[in-house]
Amino acid sequence: MTRRAGLLLLALLLTACTEGDTAQTARPPATTAPAPATAPPTSTTTALPAATVAGCPAVPARAQPDPARPKYMLRADVHPVEGTVDGQLKVVFTPDLDTDRLVFRLWPNGPKSGPAAASLETGPVTIGDRPVTSTLDDATTLVVRSGGTFRAGRPLEVAMTWQLRMSGPANDRVSKNGDSMRLGSFFPILPWEPGVGWATDAAVGGFAESSTAPTADFDLTVVLPDGFNVLASGAPDPARPGHFIAAGMRDVALSVGRFDTVSAVAMAPQPVQVTVGVQKGVVDTETPKAYLDRVVASLEDFGKRFGPYPWPAFTMAITPELGGGIEYPGHVMQGQNTFGVTSHEVGHQWFYGLVGNDQGRDPWLDEGLATWAAARFEGRLDRVKARVIPPAVRHRVGEPMSFWADKSQLYDDGVYTQGAQALAALGDPALVDCALRVYVAVNAYRIARQPDLVRAAAAVFPDAAATLASYGVKG
Ligand SMILES: [Zn+2]
């Protein structure tokens, strides 16, 4: 996400505003159809050709999603006027380690920087139609037990109903703003890290409420009253209106409202159906078309630099009362007048979306890398490099959210800017992109850790470990 609501961003936004196009019309209809909704995640089964930049090694074939990944059936009956969502969740989950419990995170119940605006409650839980015990360890952590051990490799079909209530607007990922709603990190989700177990980091308000979730497949059904639209993660299923297929995604999110939408196809490098919607009545100095063009251009740039965008569709919704952007796989939420953060949020499609990370443990892995991606795209790398990092957080880029929780004023410099500076210190920016392309290929659909990035960088820069360590990267 972006939390850069300061003067620097304001300056960027004001500059960007002059680039807006007043035309509200959509681009001509796409000439290339998006991939079928049922397509699996984009696969690269052979090694990518070596990038042309000297010193960039052949990039390995992109890793593929775990065949035993969770399969979610998620239904959301959305009531925008009432500010409620009635949900049903069924997930087939196959742990790869024995475990004595199942955990679901209920992120809307986490601490908020502003007034509490949402709550998520769950109904009785079943496993294979058999009722089981569920308890709240804390407001965001639902624990399910059967009295025995859930064995590695044995699929479990877990089901529950849930209800989300929103009381009003919040500068956050779950919010109701008049006729529009943001629904991010809004349903019970399994925080399983394959090979490790349950991720139960404490919720840290206002920072990183989506934390760890494994790559999964989602069959998402959204039911809306007449007159409302939805922009969501995943590809709309043409055979089933209101259904979205989100294959190989760590999470899904959606925005509901009365949107003016524009669409185009990005070549990143496969065709990606891009749709941008702006809530009607939002007073905005840019138009949907300006955001659309920036999304398409950044998707295409990042597809070249970091490897293909992995899904057939991307959507962005602009809704009120949000100071920046919030990323989800295949869907980005932005507030009004946030043109300047668009490429940063698109960068998260690779760094957080495709290559996952625990946002509580390793926040710089997505924020620092998205900042790098956008800085080169926007031609502002020199400005990022010149920024002076406050001494209190210098050399601490690799710290977890528990470190940053009482340093919110230093978080942008310490994690976003310093993260991009650490990458810049490696050497030639084109070779840094090469290293990130290796990182993406090796860690796609997985939850990466800081040593994974150090290893990828060391494949290109022999002294990468020492360089990154001097910024506080934990190799
Ligand atoms: Zn971000």
Side-chain angles (χ1 to χ4, degrees):
M1 74 181 298
T2 48
R3 303 179 60 254
R4 295 168 167 272
L7 293 176
L8 171 64
L9 175 62
L10 185 59
L12 292 169
L13 295 177
L14 292 173
T15 304
C17 294
T18 63
E19 299 168 18
D21 181 338
T22 55
Q24 292 276 344
T25 52
R27 276 189 171 186
T31 53
T32 309
T38 52
T42 300
S43 66
T44 306
T45 53
T46 55
L48 296 166
T52 51
V53 58
C56 183
V59 175
R62 178 175 286 177
Q64 292 299 292
D66 180 355
R69 60 191 178 272
K71 308 268 192 277
Y72 285 86
M73 298 278 290
L74 184 63
R75 178 183 166 109
D77 287 75
V78 184
H79 309 289
V81 176
E82 296 84 352
T84 59
V85 182
D86 294 311
Q88 297 174 29
L89 179 148
K90 185 180 289 185
V91 57
V92 177
F93 170 60
T94 308
D96 64 323
L97 303 169
D98 286 356
T99 179
D100 63 351
R101 66 201 196 282
L102 305 179
V103 178
F104 289 86
R105 297 311 293 261
L106 313 180
W107 292 116
N109 300 338
K112 299 287 185 298
S113 50
S119 65
L120 177 60
E121 289 184 13
T122 53
V125 180
T126 61
I127 298 180
D129 294 329
R130 192 165 57 88
V132 289
T133 305
S134 60
T135 54
L136 282 173
D137 267 17
D138 61 52
T140 68
T141 310
L142 180 75
V143 175
V144 175
R145 295 180 194 273
S146 70
T149 299
F150 301 111
R151 295 292 178 194
R154 188 171 301 171
L156 304 165
E157 184 177 282
V158 189
M160 71 183 79
T161 58
W162 51 270
Q163 187 177 52
L164 180 71
R165 298 169 193 271
M166 282 159 279
S167 59
N171 181 18
D172 214 330
R173 57 197 70 216
V174 180
S175 181
K176 165 181 159 56
N177 310 278
D179 273 351
S180 67
M181 292 166 75
R182 288 188 290 274
L183 297 171
S185 304
F186 68 104
F187 62 93
I189 192 166
L190 292 162
W192 181 259
E193 185 172 355
V196 178
W198 298 110
T200 53
D201 319 57
V204 181
F207 285 109
E209 297 88 336
S210 49
S211 195
T212 300
T215 294
D217 291 343
F218 292 86
D219 184 322
L220 170 66
T221 303
V222 182
V223 180
L224 292 171
D226 288 346
F228 288 87
N229 340 80
V230 56
L231 292 166
S233 302
D237 183 344
R240 299 183 300 159
H243 289 255
F244 300 83
I245 303 298
M249 288 188 173
R250 310 177 61 208
D251 197 354
V252 291
L254 54 118
S255 299
V256 168
R258 303 179 191 272
F259 297 122
D260 290 322
T261 62
V262 289
S263 314
V265 174
M267 301 304 291
Q270 292 96 340
V272 180
Q273 183 71 40
V274 179
T275 304
V276 172
V278 176
Q279 169 70 4
K280 288 184 194 297
V282 169
V283 177
D284 202 355
T285 45
E286 299 94 21
T287 67
K289 174 75 162 52
Y291 287 89
L292 179 74
D293 289 349
R294 189 52 59 106
V295 169
V296 168
S298 52
L299 282 170
E300 293 183 345
D301 183 67
F302 301 160
K304 290 190 188 104
R305 290 166 58 196
F306 310 127
Y309 178 82
W311 304 294
F314 175 91
T315 59
M316 172 179 286
I318 296 170
T319 51
E321 309 283 346
L322 181 60
I326 300 175
E327 69 280 5
Y328 286 92
H331 181 66
V332 164
M333 305 165 169
Q334 287 185 198
Q336 61 198 83
N337 296 323
T338 60
F339 183 84
V341 306
T342 302
S343 60
H344 174 98
E345 306 306 336
V346 172
H348 278 304
Q349 297 302 305
W350 280 261
F351 307 118
Y352 171 68
L354 175 55
V355 179
N357 62 296
D358 183 331
Q359 292 182 308
R361 184 182 59 215
D362 302 316
W364 96 274
L365 276 186
D366 58 286
E367 297 302 356
L369 274 54
T371 301
W372 168 268
R376 285 206 76 203
F377 172 75
E378 305 278 357
R380 55 176 191 241
L381 185 57
D382 286 346
R383 283 167 63 181
V384 169
K385 286 164 67 175
R387 176 92 178 162
V388 176
I389 305 301
V393 297
R394 211 175 284 162
H395 319 303
R396 308 300 293 271
V397 72
E399 298 294 336
M401 289 312 303
S402 53
F403 173 83
W404 300 104
D406 64 352
K407 301 179 186 64
S408 61
Q409 299 303 313
L410 302 174
Y411 183 60
D412 281 355
D413 279 336
V415 169
Y416 292 62
T417 304
Q418 188 167 218
Q421 289 179 349
L423 294 171
L426 290 169
D428 179 350
L431 285 176
V432 174
D433 282 350
C434 165
L436 292 176
R437 195 171 160 103
V438 172
Y439 170 73
V440 168
V442 172
N443 297 289
Y445 305 107
R446 278 142 183 85
I447 297 166
R449 294 181 176 228
Q450 297 183 52
D452 297 314
L453 179 67
V454 174
R455 266 192 294 278
V460 180
F461 301 99
D463 53 353
T467 304
L468 294 172
S470 71
Y471 287 81
V473 175
K474 298 177 186 299

